[in-house]
């Protein structure tokens, strides 16, 4: 599987991030626009913003928008504000505000100013009054359904509301009474007076304010009217002096309204909206509403479930900020939407961890092995490299004794051809240790294999240069008496197939086998492992110590990603 619709030559120019160089990087259409604006003298300083609504947790799609806004500004020695578009108090919460701030900081970015749309409510109200006085806004009595009917369709023009030609004085009075709480939710709205026959349906007298008797997380009960996003957003950009308002492609049709608001509200600053293509990831939910549904219906273990594409979920699973940002930058900036193979994201975490994560051994589904000719009561310490690719990581001592655990799948009583692991009469190498040979199979009353009796050859110790004979199989193990019990959480895609627009099929596509929990053992030197520590387990993949369920008594590991993939960058 490969990237669909994205080529490397679309790559985003790598901007500055903590510890990262921003020089001599590839170009893109946003960068070219900014260069033209700087050369023409239109702007002396570049200011961008990342403007999430605090109604959920950030996901991997937001990470791309974050990298585009912060990296673009940084490349031109500019600034980026973090602004919360908190104009809809029904869905917003301080929990989401805090999570968003935490995620952006974890990704390694630092905002210039922390802003809230709600801090501008007084000025927005005054700008709405200005529109009314200019005859460009009116109070509407039609219901939401009637407004939709009057608006027309994509092929048919709308028709004017019977309340469209109210006098300025009546509109000012009604709007103030809306603010004072004299009307119920949905009873009235404020609409812009633009053009009901416009081919752009967004320009057909869009709603600017609605009534909502709801306590706001930031302003409390000061307001019972709240601006709509399409009205608030351009004002926020203009108030903050944003030069380039970078947003995803679905806002392209709203750009004329964006410019109309800035112009007719007589804003001194004139920001420029530029749209870029969004991306979807195969087998991944990229809708905040659907992610919330997964949380609310307890299909997942909260917003930070390691199967979720949220930043907090990826962090808990074990992804690094470096891998996520490298992934976003490799995707690049394109004008059109595209789909990316999830294996591309996995590629970047492998690349990042292969030189960072210590290598150790873990047995996920243990089978006990007794080495019958090894001295009883004896324990020897063997040398093992922590990461052969990074000699500076040094070595560790691992215990070896008469009793060990191996993986159940590393033994077969009746193996097929070309099975080179352990079976009766066969000899294999134990990683970092000796050759062992299976001599006897012990079964329970149900005929299940519960124990193997093997012998070892003391002349075959790893590191001694033994060349007497060769074996084709090498398996991993842990010493039984000192091994630390551990729980391993093995993840698969949460969605069975690529997400589509069929709303009815969304829940039906949930993978019932997206999580497998097994109990096994890790080396005894793992007893000091801390939450978020990452390791490469021989043959199993990269794992992260789970920060939610790990206790003093039990280590819990989340598998970040397997060791190998067929994906090629």
């Amino acid at each position: 599987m490969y990237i669909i619709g994205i080529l490397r030559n679309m790559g985003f120019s790598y901007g500055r991030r903590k510890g990262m160089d921003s020089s001599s990087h590839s170009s893109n259409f946003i960068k070219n626009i900014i260069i033209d604006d700087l050369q023409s003298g239109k702007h002396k300083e570049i200011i961008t913003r990342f403007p999430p609504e605090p109604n959920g947790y950030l996901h991997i799609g937001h990470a791309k928008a974050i990298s585009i806004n912060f990296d673009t500004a940084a490349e031109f020695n500019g600034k980026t504000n973090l602004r919360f578009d908190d104009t809809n108090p029904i869905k917003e919460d301080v929990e989401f505000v805090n999570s968003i701030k935490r995620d952006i900081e974890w990704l390694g970015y630092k905002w210039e100013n922390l802003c809230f749309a709600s801090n501008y409510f007084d000025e927005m109200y005054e700008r709405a009054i200005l529109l009314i006085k200019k005859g460009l806004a009116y109070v509407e009595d039609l219901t939401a359904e009637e407004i939709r009917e009057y608006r027309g369709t994509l092929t048919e023009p709308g028709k004017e509301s019977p309340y469209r030609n109210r006098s300025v004085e009546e509109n000012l009075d009604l709007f103030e009474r809306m603010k004072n709480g004299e009307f119920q939710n949905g009873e009235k709205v404020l609409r812009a007076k633009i053009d009901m026959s416009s081919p752009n349906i967004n320009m057909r007298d869009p709603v600017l304010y609605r009534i909502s008797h709801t306590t706001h997380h930031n302003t409390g009960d000061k307001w019972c009217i709240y601006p709509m996003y399409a009205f608030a957003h351009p004002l926020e950009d203009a108030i903050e002096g944003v030069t380039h308002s970078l947003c995803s492609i679905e806002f392209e049709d709203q750009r004329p309204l964006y410019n109309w608001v800035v112009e007719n509200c007589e804003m001194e600053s004139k920001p420029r909206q530029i749209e870029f293509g969004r991306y979807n990831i195969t087998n991944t939910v990229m809708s905040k509403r659907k992610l919330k549904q997964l949380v609310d219906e307890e299909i997942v273990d909260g917003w930070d479930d390691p199967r979720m594409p949220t930043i907090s979920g990826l962090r808990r699973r074990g992804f690094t900020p470096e891998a996520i940002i490298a992934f976003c930058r490799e995707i690049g900036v394109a004008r059109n939407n595209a789909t990316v193979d999830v294996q591309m994201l996995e590629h970047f975490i492998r690349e990042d961890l292969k030189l960072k994560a210590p290598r150790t051994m873990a047995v996920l589904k243990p089978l006990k092995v007794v080495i019958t000719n090894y001295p009883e009561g004896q324990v020897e310490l063997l040398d093992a490299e922590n990461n052969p690719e990074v000699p500076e990581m040094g070595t560790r001592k691992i215990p070896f004794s008469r009793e060990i655990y191996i993986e159940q799948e590393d033994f077969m009583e009746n193996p097929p051809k070309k099975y080179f692991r352990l079976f009766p009469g066969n000899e294999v190498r134990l990683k970092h240790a000796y050759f062992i040979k299976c001599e006897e199979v012990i079964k329970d009353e149900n005929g299940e294999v519960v124990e193997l009796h093997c012998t070892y050859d003391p002349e075959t110790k790893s590191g001694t240069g033994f060349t007497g004979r060769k074996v084709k199989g090498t398996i991993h193990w842990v010493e039984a008496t000192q091994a630390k019990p551990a729980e391993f959480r093995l993840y698969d895609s949460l969605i069975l197939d690529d997400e589509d627009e069929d709303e009815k099929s969304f829940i039906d596509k949930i993978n019932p086998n997206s999580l497998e929990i097994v109990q096994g053992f890790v080396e005894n030197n793992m007893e000091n492992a801390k939450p978020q520590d990452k390791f490469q387990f021989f043959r199993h993949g990269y794992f992260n110590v789970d920060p939610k369920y790990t206790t003093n008594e039990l280590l819990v590991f989340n598998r970040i990603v397997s060791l190998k993939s067929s994906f090629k960058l």
Side-chain angles (χ1 to χ4, degrees):
M1 300 172 67
Y2 293 89
I3 309 170
I4 302 173
I6 294 182
L7 299 176
R8 190 166 184 171
N9 61 11
M10 292 179 179
F12 177 65
S13 52
Y14 288 31
R16 277 209 308 265
R17 184 172 164 269
K18 288 193 296 188
M20 293 193 176
D21 181 25
S22 64
S23 60
S24 63
H25 298 300
S26 58
S27 182
N28 62 71
F29 73 95
I30 294 176
K31 176 180 174 180
N32 292 337
I33 290 172
I34 292 175
I35 290 173
D36 290 342
D37 287 345
L38 288 171
Q39 290 178 343
S40 69
K42 183 177 181 180
H43 300 294
K44 294 182 179 180
E45 182 182 45
I46 301 304
I47 300 176
T48 64
R49 82 290 170 269
F50 175 63
E53 182 181 1
N55 63 351
Y57 281 57
L58 298 182
H59 57 63
I60 186 67
H62 295 111
K64 180 184 178 183
I66 290 169
S67 71
I68 289 176
N69 277 282
F70 279 87
D71 288 349
T72 299
E75 185 161 0
F76 294 96
N77 296 314
K79 302 172 182 177
T80 301
N81 293 338
L82 169 59
R83 182 211 305 144
F84 290 98
D85 266 319
D86 54 348
T87 59
N88 186 3
I90 295 176
K91 296 182 178 181
E92 297 158 356
D93 193 274
V94 68
E95 173 194 353
F96 302 132
V97 171
N98 292 333
S99 73
I100 290 168
K101 290 161 61 178
R102 183 170 59 249
D103 288 346
I104 294 173
E105 289 176 331
W106 178 76
L107 286 172
Y109 291 107
K110 183 178 181 181
W111 52 84
E112 182 70 21
N113 298 296
L114 179 62
C115 308
F116 291 85
S118 53
N119 289 343
Y120 311 139
F121 281 172
D122 289 285
E123 180 164 355
M124 292 177 187
Y125 179 74
E126 293 301 322
R127 299 291 175 171
I129 289 177
L130 174 63
L131 291 179
I132 293 173
K133 289 180 177 180
K134 294 170 70 172
L136 295 177
Y138 63 96
V139 174
E140 173 67 270
D141 287 7
L142 294 178
T143 66
E145 183 178 348
E146 289 171 333
I147 290 175
R148 283 192 293 271
E149 292 175 354
Y150 273 62
R151 184 170 288 146
T153 66
L154 294 175
T155 56
E156 297 178 354
K159 59 182 180 178
E160 295 184 354
S161 164
Y163 305 99
R164 194 175 194 265
N165 295 313
R166 278 174 161 157
S167 68
V168 168
E169 292 72 22
E170 184 180 7
N171 282 318
L172 288 172
D173 175 66
L174 288 172
F175 190 49
E176 183 177 8
R177 290 170 63 192
M178 286 172 60
K179 178 179 75 73
N180 293 338
E182 296 185 26
F183 304 110
Q184 298 301 309
N185 294 351
E187 192 172 345
K188 296 182 187 299
V189 296
L190 181 72
R191 296 179 70 179
K193 185 187 290 187
I194 306 180
D195 182 4
M196 290 304 294
S197 62
S198 172
N200 185 338
I201 202 166
N202 295 291
M203 301 296 284
R204 297 179 190 174
D205 292 10
V207 174
L208 304 181
Y209 267 88
R210 78 286 201 192
I211 300 170
S212 180
H213 292 273
T214 307
T215 300
H216 191 281
H217 77 93
N218 189 29
T219 60
D221 295 317
K222 178 180 178 180
W223 298 91
C224 63
I225 58 170
Y226 293 96
M228 302 297 290
Y229 176 88
F231 178 63
H233 191 78
L235 295 181
E236 296 157 21
D237 285 346
I239 291 169
E240 293 174 17
V242 169
T243 58
H244 297 85
S245 182
L246 311 180
C247 58
S248 49
I249 195 68
E250 66 264 31
F251 293 101
E252 183 177 23
D253 290 342
Q254 293 192 23
R255 194 196 317 153
L257 177 57
Y258 180 101
N259 294 334
W260 185 93
V261 170
V262 170
E263 184 65 33
N264 289 285
C265 286
E266 301 179 8
M267 305 304 292
E268 181 178 351
S269 176
K270 309 291 184 184
R272 177 175 183 173
Q273 177 175 304
I274 306 173
E275 306 86 17
F276 56 84
R278 296 179 62 178
Y279 71 92
N280 291 311
I281 300 178
T282 57
N283 301 98
T284 304
V285 182
M286 298 286 277
S287 161
K288 191 187 294 184
R289 177 179 57 80
K290 291 180 179 179
L291 293 175
K292 186 176 186 300
Q293 181 181 353
L294 293 174
V295 174
D296 292 344
E297 296 183 14
E298 299 183 349
I299 296 172
V300 295
D301 180 27
W303 287 95
D304 67 346
D305 188 300
R307 292 167 292 180
M308 294 276 274
T310 55
I311 303 300
S312 58
L314 292 170
R315 178 168 61 244
R316 182 178 158 200
R317 183 159 176 170
F319 277 76
T320 63
E322 292 81 6
I324 292 172
I325 295 302
F327 166 72
C328 292
R329 288 170 169 170
E330 183 64 35
I331 289 172
V333 177
R335 293 181 183 273
N336 300 316
N337 295 336
T339 299
V340 181
D341 196 308
V342 69
Q343 292 184 77
M344 184 178 180
L345 176 59
E346 295 172 350
H347 164 82
F348 280 99
I349 187 61
R350 288 189 187 95
E351 287 296 298
D352 189 47
L353 289 183
K354 72 180 181 181
L355 299 180
K356 292 181 179 179
R359 300 183 183 180
T360 182
M361 295 189 291
V363 174
L364 277 56
K365 298 179 181 180
L367 174 62
K368 190 172 185 180
V369 172
V370 177
I371 303 173
T372 56
N373 64 332
Y374 195 88
E376 291 192 44
Q378 177 175 308
V379 177
E380 64 176 304
L381 296 178
L382 305 175
D383 290 319
E385 292 178 294
N386 287 326
N387 190 328
E389 294 188 48
V390 188
E392 306 88 81
M393 285 191 180
T395 61
R396 67 189 186 282
K397 298 289 187 180
I398 54 176
F400 182 81
S401 72
R402 179 184 177 89
E403 296 182 0
I404 63 172
Y405 292 117
I406 67 169
E407 292 288 350
Q408 293 177 12
E409 67 177 22
D410 284 342
F411 171 80
M412 291 187 72
E413 191 171 12
N414 299 295
K417 291 182 178 180
K418 296 187 178 180
Y419 181 84
F420 300 124
R421 285 172 259 176
L422 205 56
F423 56 87
N426 191 44
E427 191 174 42
V428 298
R429 172 176 287 283
L430 296 177
K431 182 72 172 176
H432 304 304
Y434 300 94
F435 289 8
I436 63 170
K437 183 178 181 180
C438 181
E439 306 287 358
E440 184 180 6
V441 179
I442 310 300
K443 301 180 180 180
D444 62 13
E445 62 274 12
N446 298 317
E448 297 293 329
V449 176
V450 295
E451 187 173 296
L452 301 178
H453 288 179
C454 297
T455 56
Y456 89 115
D457 183 347
E459 301 297 323
T460 60
K461 185 176 181 179
S462 291
T464 61
F466 173 77
T467 58
R469 60 186 181 280
K470 302 290 185 181
V471 292
K472 293 185 177 181
T474 298
I475 63 175
H476 63 280
W477 54 280
V478 293
E479 196 274 335
T481 63
Q482 298 184 39
K484 299 300 176 184
E487 178 176 290
F488 304 91
R489 295 177 168 236
L490 312 177
Y491 299 100
D492 199 354
S493 297
L494 186 60
I495 304 298
L496 289 170
D497 300 306
D498 293 349
E499 185 185 4
D500 58 28
E501 298 302 319
D502 184 358
E503 298 290 331
K504 295 181 180 178
S505 68
F506 166 58
I507 296 300
D508 294 336
K509 289 187 175 184
I510 299 297
N511 181 3
N513 301 312
S514 61
L515 170 61
E516 179 185 8
I517 300 176
V518 297
Q519 309 295 328
F521 298 95
V522 294
E523 293 179 17
N524 68 325
N525 54 58
M526 298 286 286
E527 61 184 353
N528 296 320
K530 303 182 299 297
Q532 298 296 142
D533 282 351
K534 296 162 183 59
F535 302 90
Q536 183 193 122
F537 291 156
F538 185 67
R539 284 182 34 213
H540 286 303
Y542 292 98
F543 285 73
N544 184 56
V545 181
D546 185 84
K548 192 168 188 175
Y549 293 124
T550 292
T551 66
N552 292 331
E553 292 73 34
L554 181 67
L555 286 167
V556 178
F557 292 91
N558 298 320
R559 184 164 64 188
I560 308 168
V561 67
S562 60
L563 287 179
K564 295 182 179 181
S565 170
S566 59
F567 179 82
K568 301 294 183 183
L569 187 63

